[in-house]
Amino acid sequence: MTSEEIKTNVQKALDEIRPFLQSDGGDISLVSIDNDTSVKVKLEGNCIGCSVNQMTLRNGVEMTIKKYVPQIEEVVNIE
C-alpha cells in the first residue's frame, strides 16, 4: 500500500467513526502519518478532556483505522 493509499484509507476510517464522535459534540482530525505505521490525530470539541477519550481512541479510532490499514501500529492523540 502506498503512502497515498494509506492516507486515503485512514481518512475513510475517520469518516466512519466521525458521526459517533459528533453525536457527543466532538470530532477528530488527521494530523499526520509517520513512516506509514503511526497515525497522529487530534480529538476536538467535547472529546478534549473527556474521561473516556483514551478508551475511545484505542477501542474506536485505532481499531477502525487498523481495519482499513492493518500495518498501522499506533494511533496517538496530540493535544
Side-chain angles (χ1 to χ4, degrees):
M1 201 178 281
T2 67
S3 294
E4 194 56 42
E5 289 171 319
I6 289 170
K7 183 176 182 184
T8 298
N9 285 339
V10 167
Q11 286 288 12
K12 286 179 187 174
L14 296 180
D15 288 344
E16 181 179 316
I17 58 174
R18 186 167 281 118
F20 299 103
L21 298 174
Q22 289 174 337
S23 70
D24 288 329
D27 208 342
I28 192 167
S29 59
L30 176 62
V31 175
S32 67
I33 301 171
D34 302 327
N35 302 319
D36 293 341
T37 60
S38 177
V39 175
K40 290 186 180 153
V41 296
K42 183 168 177 60
L43 291 170
E44 301 169 349
N46 284 345
C47 291
I48 300 170
C50 173
S51 61
V52 296
N53 73 7
Q54 286 307 309
M55 190 175 73
T56 298
L57 195 65
R58 295 281 166 261
N59 296 340
V61 178
E62 189 171 292
M63 188 177 72
T64 304
I65 288 174
K66 286 180 176 180
K67 182 174 77 175
Y68 282 85
V69 190
Q71 77 239 38
I72 294 298
E73 295 171 3
E74 66 174 352
V75 177
V76 179
N77 178 44
I78 63 156
E79 299 185 16

